[in-house]
Amino acid sequence: MSEATTGFGRRKFINWFLGTSLGGLLLMIVYPIVRYISPPEIPEATTNQVEAGREDDPELLEKGYKIVQFGVEPVILFAAGPRDFRAFSATCTHLDCIVEFQKQEKRIFCNCHGGVYDLNGRNVAGPPPRPLTAYRVDLVETTPGQPATIVVSKA
Amino acid sequence: MARATERVLAWLEERVPVSTVIELVKHKTVPMHRLSVYYYLGGMTLFFFIVQVTTGILLMLYYRPSAEEAFESVEFIMTVVPFGWLIRSIHSWSANLMIFFAFLHLATVFFGKAYRKPRELTWVTGCLVFFLAMGFGFSGYLLPWNKLAFFATKVGTDIAGSVPLVGEWVMRFLRGGERVTGGTLSRFYGWHVAILPALATGLLGLHLLLVQLQGMSVPPSCEKEAAERRPLKFFPDFFLRDLFGWLVALAVLAALAAFLPWELGEKADPFAPAYKNIRPEWYFMFMFQTLKLVPGGEIAGIEYEAIPIMLFNLAGLLLVLVPFLDRGIVRNGRSPGFTAIGVVAVAYIVGMTAWGYHSWVPVWVALGSILFIALLALATGRKRRAR
């Protein structure tokens, strides 16, 4: 049968066959590579509560704040007043830097791009688009008469 | 000796066409005019690239790409390994000088309109190599695993994450997960020593091949002068001048590395606040400063910060496409509009960099570079008196 009568001759079939095989082969090579370079989702152990030391922690007294490891998240813990401890996510909502608490200015500040948050974690100046996530802080007296232990938990 | 060389050449000639290559080199010339000094800038960038490859391979012998060991291994290179301080310092300085000369090369090619037909592809490959060089800088910055690099990488990758639709995937892809961790370090190491070098070698090879095939472009304003003057022989005249420049560059590199050794800083700590003056490499400073000025907020689900980022990406794309956009240069040999855009872009980059550093140094460096090139042009571009 000639090519003209069928419209789909031997040559065309072979070209189509080779083309698709080649495409398929390429896909078989590229797909695993693309999947491989996309990092797998790794479930992280959920942390609900951490002990952040005692209320007379020298670092806390001296600098006015400390960064607490809440699982893999950094959380900033500071004293807004006597026995008034507050904790917020320490990750700046702008571009992911870690914030600090400035005792003198009474504010949370990000050194990367000058983002400012108030003592309630609200973004008040600079580029941050959202407030910092708040954490709950409890003072637990384990031994009477001794300084209490600061416990930070998810709000 | 001469006979031995001849015999080796004859032996080779029977197998590969050596004489064709020699003939080509013998006949290669470089146009001479008052801006001929532009032709040395690409070669200078190439020199620093060669230094990068050499010192980079040497650093790989001791460097260990993990969060636990990276900082310590660089410390080891700098304090224990003989001449380790020199190799690392040269690698850091040469990286910066390479980007600096690539900037100059790009600017002179742009203002000299060397991208016009038939050199569009040379321009495109050059731009891509330039972006790769910035990728080298960004990935290499993290490798010492110090605080400055850690936060610069956090910010840099988070920036990518703010682009709508694809941003999230790009960020995870760059970081190798949700956060900047040791996993990011291995990934950046892979990019820095394998993927980017492979891409750069291919693209740079193509770029250089195109330059050889097409020869040097003459700026439109110098065409008359270049036609009247005798061109310079590439070998040995231009080659020796190039070599002289490289020698000076090597001396400058050694002096910088010895007298202003590159700092290592403090080891990165994912649980420490960013300290003051966190900043990226100087060539990202203008983008960093722009981002600093954007207020927080959202419009149509897009965060404000994503807008300048998308604009910078668009500017990068337009830069690559310049030869296809500039129709004036094809039609009547002039394109003052593009020159004006170029001047504004350079002024923006220099101004924002100066603002970012709160210093006039970037302005002086830019003006100094222009003055330096102008002086070199005066010294080398004049017509030699016939003897």
Side-chain angles (χ1 to χ4, degrees):
Chain A
M1 218 186 293
S2 79
E3 218 170 284
T5 52
T6 60
F8 198 80
R10 199 174 352 178
R11 172 58 49 200
K12 215 166 173 184
F13 172 73
I14 289 174
N15 280 346
W16 175 85
F17 188 72
L18 280 177
T20 8
S21 312
L22 212 65
L25 180 69
L26 271 180
L27 212 66
M28 277 192 282
I29 296 170
V30 170
Y31 180 74
I33 294 178
V34 171
R35 286 301 305 272
Y36 180 86
I37 60 172
S38 319
E41 303 268 356
I42 299 165
E44 280 160 0
T46 44
T47 309
N48 291 315
Q49 202 173 59
V50 293
E51 277 189 22
R54 296 191 336 176
E55 60 178 327
D56 63 345
D57 186 323
E59 188 187 349
L60 204 51
L61 293 179
E62 196 184 313
K63 290 200 301 186
Y65 78 101
K66 68 190 263 186
I67 306 280
V68 180
Q69 288 193 27
F70 199 89
V72 288
E73 291 288 345
V75 166
I76 186 164
L77 171 74
F78 60 90
R83 289 185 68 101
D84 177 11
F85 294 102
R86 298 181 191 182
F88 296 94
S89 158
T91 308
C92 181
T93 56
H94 180 223
L95 290 174
D96 218 19
C97 283
I98 295 179
V99 295
E100 64 176 20
F101 171 69
Q102 294 182 332
K103 213 169 160 182
Q104 305 293 328
E105 290 86 352
K106 285 206 165 288
R107 64 179 187 179
I108 302 168
F109 188 73
C110 179
N111 276 310
C112 283
H113 301 90
V116 181
Y117 303 86
D118 67 8
L119 296 184
N120 295 311
R122 278 185 305 232
N123 46 323
V124 286
R130 286 179 302 280
L132 297 170
T133 312
Y135 283 74
R136 211 179 111 169
V137 182
D138 292 301
L139 291 176
V140 181
E141 284 190 32
T142 37
T143 353
Q146 289 289 315
T149 303
I150 306 167
V151 175
V152 177
S153 44
K154 278 200 171 145
Chain B
M1 183 66 198
R3 284 190 60 184
T5 319
E6 254 170 49
R7 277 173 59 188
V8 171
L9 277 179
W11 185 89
L12 268 176
E13 185 62 41
E14 282 178 58
R15 285 148 185 94
V16 272
V18 187
S19 59
T20 323
V21 178
I22 294 175
E23 265 325 283
L24 271 177
V25 173
K26 263 187 191 166
H27 288 102
K28 188 177 157 61
T29 58
V30 176
M32 284 303 284
H33 49 80
R34 61 184 181 281
L35 295 176
S36 288
V37 64
Y38 283 6
Y39 302 144
Y40 297 97
L41 296 171
M44 195 54 95
T45 315
L46 178 67
F47 168 74
F48 288 117
F49 180 75
I50 296 168
V51 172
Q52 284 314 91
V53 174
T54 316
T55 49
I57 290 171
L58 290 173
L59 288 173
M60 276 171 75
L61 299 182
Y62 292 100
Y63 177 74
R64 296 189 206 133
S66 77
E68 292 74 32
E69 295 183 303
F71 183 85
E72 285 77 5
S73 69
V74 178
E75 213 170 33
F76 178 75
I77 289 172
M78 290 179 71
T79 53
V80 181
V81 180
F83 292 105
W85 61 274
L86 182 70
I87 304 290
R88 194 231 163 193
S89 228
I90 286 188
H91 193 71
S92 305
W93 272 112
S94 173
N96 285 281
L97 289 171
M98 179 176 82
I99 301 269
F100 180 71
F101 274 92
F103 258 119
L104 288 185
H105 178 46
L106 183 97
T108 50
V109 166
F110 178 84
F111 290 116
K113 318 277 180 196
Y115 52 76
R116 67 191 189 278
K117 194 185 168 190
R119 295 185 176 80
E120 297 95 327
L121 291 176
T122 320
W123 169 268
V124 171
T125 49
C127 281
L128 296 179
V129 173
F130 182 65
F131 297 150
L132 284 182
M134 292 179 105
F136 269 115
F138 185 65
S139 55
Y141 203 47
L142 180 67
L143 299 187
W145 199 245
N146 57 23
K147 273 188 178 169
L148 188 64
F150 178 75
F151 282 107
T153 306
K154 257 178 128 72
V155 173
T157 48
D158 203 76
I159 284 173
S162 64
V163 176
L165 300 174
V166 290
E168 195 62 30
W169 186 86
V170 173
M171 188 184 82
R172 279 180 49 81
F173 165 71
L174 287 172
R175 290 182 173 179
E178 288 303 319
R179 296 179 181 75
V180 176
T181 58
T184 318
L185 184 66
S186 339
R187 215 159 244 249
F188 273 38
Y189 181 69
W191 279 99
H192 195 76
V193 306
I195 302 169
L196 291 176
L199 292 174
T201 308
L203 272 171
L204 192 61
L206 187 60
H207 185 70
L208 294 175
L209 180 72
L210 286 168
V211 173
Q212 294 316 310
L213 288 176
Q214 296 164 334
M216 298 296 198
S217 156
V218 178
S221 59
C222 301
E223 266 167 1
K224 202 167 152 258
E225 189 190 345
E228 282 167 4
R229 287 176 60 177
R230 195 155 49 92
L232 194 70
K233 274 184 149 181
F234 178 81
F235 196 87
D237 297 356
F238 185 83
F239 179 75
L240 285 176
R241 284 166 172 77
D242 235 356
L243 220 54
F244 173 73
W246 291 18
L247 211 60
V248 172
L250 188 64
V252 170
L253 254 187
L256 284 171
F259 293 115
L260 299 166
W262 210 264
E263 273 182 40
L264 180 56
E266 279 174 74
K267 187 175 176 171
D269 176 359
F271 290 97
Y275 57 87
K276 276 176 200 66
N277 298 324
I278 277 296
R279 53 171 190 268
E281 296 265 60
W282 58 268
Y283 40 89
F284 294 120
M285 193 51 156
F286 70 98
M287 295 193 253
F288 185 82
Q289 181 61 20
T290 310
L291 281 177
K292 238 179 177 173
L293 301 175
V294 177
E298 287 189 353
I299 182 165
I302 298 172
E303 285 180 13
Y304 284 166
E305 74 202 28
I307 297 165
I309 293 157
M310 288 190 284
L311 287 178
F312 282 130
N313 277 315
L314 183 70
L317 182 68
L318 291 179
L319 183 75
V320 176
L321 297 178
V322 158
F324 310 102
L325 300 172
D326 186 357
R327 303 320 297 166
I329 199 74
V330 184
R331 233 177 287 129
N332 49 27
R334 291 182 67 245
S335 59
F338 275 78
T339 306
I341 295 170
V343 171
V344 171
V346 170
Y348 181 82
I349 291 172
V350 174
M352 277 301 193
T353 310
W355 191 359
Y357 283 107
H358 294 287
S359 150
W360 284 98
V361 172
V363 178
W364 298 132
V365 170
L367 291 177
S369 313
I370 295 170
L371 190 71
F372 180 67
I373 292 176
L375 280 177
L376 270 184
L378 263 183
T380 59
R382 268 177 312 170
K383 207 170 168 175
R384 271 174 299 174
R385 245 181 256 136
R387 268 167 294 180

